Amino acid sequence: MLSKPSVAWGIASMPAADRPIRLAQRSLLSRVIIGVLSLLAVGGCIVSLASFAYGKNAARQSYDRLLIGAANDIAESINIIDGAAVADIPVSAFGLLSLALDDRISYAVRGPDGALLTGYETALPPEGSARRSDAFYFDSTLQGEPSRFVTVVRRFSERDYSGTVSVTVGQTLRARNAMALDLTKGALVITGLAGIALILSAYLVIRSAMRPLDRMASELLARDPYDLTPMQADGPAEVAVMTDAMNRFMQRLDRQIGAMKHLISDTAHQLRTPVAAIRAQAELALEDDTEHQPQRLERLLRRTRSLGNLLDQMLSRALVIHRTDNAPPEPVDLRDIALQVLDDCDPELLAPGVEVDLIITDTPVIVMADEVSVTEAGKNMLTNALQHGKAPIRIGVTTSPIQSELWVEDAGDGPPQDVLSRIGGRFERSAASQGNSAGLGLSILHAVAEAFGGKVTMGKTDTGFRVTLTLPTQTEADK
């Protein structure tokens, strides 16, 4: 805790990125240790109460046996002489009780009418207790001090005497309380030593269990900032889960960095030639006479459009790669995708006079994907067909319980088989698109299919050449 308000204000006013790490924040080890100590403290309280109850009960049973032994000895010494009960108190009756030097002892022998035959006027047993049992215990006071008493009843049935004689023996509680306290202390000492051993053992076990976390932290700190290779998933299952999550995060980060590097290198590589060509055409247009300037300007316009198409495809590919790594898949209706693609591509602008037929069903066609990414893939499919295919052109959606398809078909024959086997890579152009395409359209399509567990198929049909994006169907069981 900071003691000076000025210092506290100074730290609070610092930017979040410049604030020091709070050392007061408890570590995972300290939290686990505190939890274990709390459990042991609760267990210790329960054991202490149980030990005290056990010690008190053991002391009571022990001294109660001594009391009833003394009472039985006195009762056995009672004889009937001349029609009267006479008690010859044996010294052995109080031999064991006298071992408790600090305790007071009292006894009383009473006849059938409760008259004291011998002994002291001590506590009387509860009314009617003699008829309930031959021996019973009760608590009372002896000279103002809490005490424990036992009464033993002996019955006589002789010619000249018939009735009962009760013997009551009492003792104060000092010795038995001391015994209960000693038993409790002994149990607590053993429990305390066991608790200390458990704490040390728990600390060592927890420290050993968390060693993989320290190793992971050390490995991460020692890594090069550009090293995104997977970490070894050794250690306990919980650490392995954390390592696996971290590896997947680093894989996504690696893909993002790779996509950024590709975008930068592709931009530098692909823009060099169009920019040089535009500059050359502009310089020639300035040098040519008025008669040749329209031709130069027309070439300059074509180069500019080609450069615009290149930039659009590169940005589209970067957008798709970014969203497939960061946007979670959601239920998407491929019919809405087909309508959106047809509306965004504007066939009248790309291929004037070419009609595009839309073929969709009345039932929803649901897949788990990213709407923006699938839309970009569909736009590239339709754009390629409009620019390089033959009319008529169709875009449609089909579905089955297992997979659903978004396809674009034209009436042409498609690229040759050798080109078809290579197509789909970055900047891979078919013969029909040389000079008019960056070769990124089908690369975007393949990236979307791979991201959402689908595939891309291209081939001839009875009515032309078809490019198909296939994705798993979202069924009711998957929801």
Side-chain angles (χ1 to χ4, degrees):
M1 181 179 296
L2 296 172
S3 58
K4 296 182 180 180
S6 59
V7 176
W9 180 87
I11 292 182
S13 62
M14 293 173 61
D18 297 333
R19 292 179 188 173
I21 299 176
R22 292 184 300 171
L23 298 179
Q25 192 173 16
R26 294 200 307 268
S27 64
L28 181 60
L29 176 62
S30 64
R31 294 183 181 184
V32 175
I33 290 295
I34 290 174
V36 171
L37 290 177
S38 300
L39 293 176
L40 289 177
V42 173
C45 293
I46 296 174
V47 170
S48 299
L49 294 176
S51 299
F52 179 74
Y54 169 77
K56 188 175 182 180
N57 184 59
R60 169 171 288 190
Q61 290 181 359
S62 299
Y63 279 90
D64 282 354
R65 290 191 182 99
L66 296 179
L67 280 177
I68 197 170
N72 285 329
D73 287 345
I74 296 174
E76 292 295 330
S77 69
I78 299 174
N79 297 308
I80 304 300
I81 301 176
D82 297 332
V86 178
D88 185 13
I89 308 299
V91 178
S92 61
F94 303 103
L96 294 177
L97 292 177
S98 63
L99 295 177
L101 300 179
D102 295 333
D103 278 325
R104 296 183 179 90
I105 302 173
S106 177
Y107 73 95
V109 180
R110 292 183 174 88
D113 55 355
L116 182 66
L117 302 179
T118 184
Y120 305 94
E121 284 291 345
T122 185
L124 292 173
E127 184 68 25
S129 58
R131 294 190 293 270
R132 294 197 304 264
S133 175
D134 292 338
F136 55 91
Y137 296 91
F138 63 94
D139 295 321
S140 185
T141 58
L142 181 61
Q143 297 181 0
E145 188 174 349
S147 303
R148 180 75 167 169
F149 294 86
V150 64
T151 296
V152 174
V153 178
R154 184 177 179 184
R155 293 178 175 83
F156 292 92
S157 181
E158 298 183 5
R159 180 178 302 176
D160 54 352
Y161 188 90
S162 179
T164 60
V165 177
S166 65
V167 177
T168 301
V169 178
Q171 184 184 29
T172 55
L173 305 179
R174 295 179 183 179
R176 66 178 64 204
N177 288 340
M179 181 180 177
L181 186 59
D182 289 340
L183 291 175
T184 303
K185 287 181 178 179
L188 290 181
V189 169
I190 296 175
T191 303
L193 294 176
I196 293 174
L198 286 176
I199 292 173
L200 294 177
S201 301
Y203 175 80
L204 295 177
V205 171
I206 295 170
R207 196 73 184 88
S208 176
M210 293 185 177
R211 192 169 293 118
L213 294 177
D214 296 336
R215 185 171 63 251
M216 181 188 301
S218 300
E219 182 179 346
L220 285 175
L221 290 174
R223 276 198 169 204
D224 187 272
Y226 300 100
D227 183 7
L228 297 177
T229 56
M231 300 177 62
Q232 293 184 354
D234 54 352
E238 293 78 6
V239 177
V241 170
M242 185 183 302
T243 305
D244 180 65
M246 191 174 299
N247 287 338
R248 283 184 289 169
F249 171 76
M250 289 195 295
Q251 288 175 0
R252 294 197 303 269
L253 185 60
D254 190 31
R255 286 197 298 268
Q256 291 293 326
I257 294 176
M260 187 185 304
K261 290 180 179 178
H262 284 311
L263 179 62
I264 295 173
S265 62
D266 294 345
T267 303
H269 177 265
Q270 293 296 317
L271 294 184
R272 185 182 296 112
T273 301
V275 170
I278 291 174
R279 184 173 62 248
Q281 293 293 340
E283 290 175 352
L284 291 174
L286 291 175
E287 295 175 358
D288 282 345
D289 52 19
T290 307
E291 181 180 354
H292 293 86
Q293 277 188 353
Q295 299 177 357
R296 297 295 184 189
L297 292 177
E298 182 181 357
R299 292 178 182 177
L300 184 61
L301 179 61
R302 287 201 305 268
R303 290 289 185 180
T304 305
R305 288 176 178 172
S306 176
L307 179 59
N309 292 334
L310 172 63
L311 291 175
D312 288 343
Q313 286 195 333
M314 292 177 67
L315 293 176
S316 177
R317 187 174 188 277
L319 173 65
V320 166
I321 292 176
H322 171 74
R323 290 191 64 86
T324 52
D325 278 339
N326 295 276
E330 297 178 348
V332 176
D333 193 342
L334 290 183
R335 301 179 306 164
D336 297 336
I337 298 295
L339 290 170
Q340 186 67 34
V341 168
L342 189 59
D343 184 61
D344 290 346
C345 284
D346 196 0
E348 289 295 331
L349 179 62
L350 294 176
V354 176
E355 294 185 359
V356 178
D357 296 329
L358 178 64
I359 302 174
I360 57 176
T361 62
D362 294 333
T363 58
V365 182
I366 306 299
V367 297
M368 290 297 294
D370 175 56
E371 182 177 356
V372 175
S373 300
V374 178
T375 302
E376 289 295 323
K379 287 164 59 177
N380 280 280
M381 292 165 61
L382 184 56
T383 300
N384 282 337
L386 290 172
Q387 291 180 344
H388 314 301
K390 294 182 180 180
I393 295 175
R394 301 188 301 166
I395 179 172
V397 173
T398 57
T399 186
S400 70
I402 299 177
Q403 60 187 22
S404 299
E405 299 175 342
L406 173 65
W407 53 266
V408 175
E409 183 180 273
D410 67 89
D413 296 330
Q417 188 61 37
D418 59 334
V419 176
L420 193 62
S421 61
R422 304 192 313 268
I423 204 166
R426 290 166 44 246
F427 305 111
E428 184 66 40
R429 301 182 179 92
S430 66
S433 63
Q434 292 291 340
N436 299 319
S437 172
L440 288 174
L442 292 177
S443 173
I444 295 173
L445 183 60
H446 279 280
V448 173
E450 181 181 357
F452 302 111
K455 62 181 179 178
V456 177
T457 56
M458 295 176 286
K460 292 187 57 121
T461 63
D462 296 337
T463 55
F465 182 79
R466 177 178 290 189
V467 179
T468 305
L469 171 62
T470 304
L471 296 173
T473 301
Q474 173 76 356
T475 60
E476 290 293 335
D478 298 330
K479 294 180 181 178

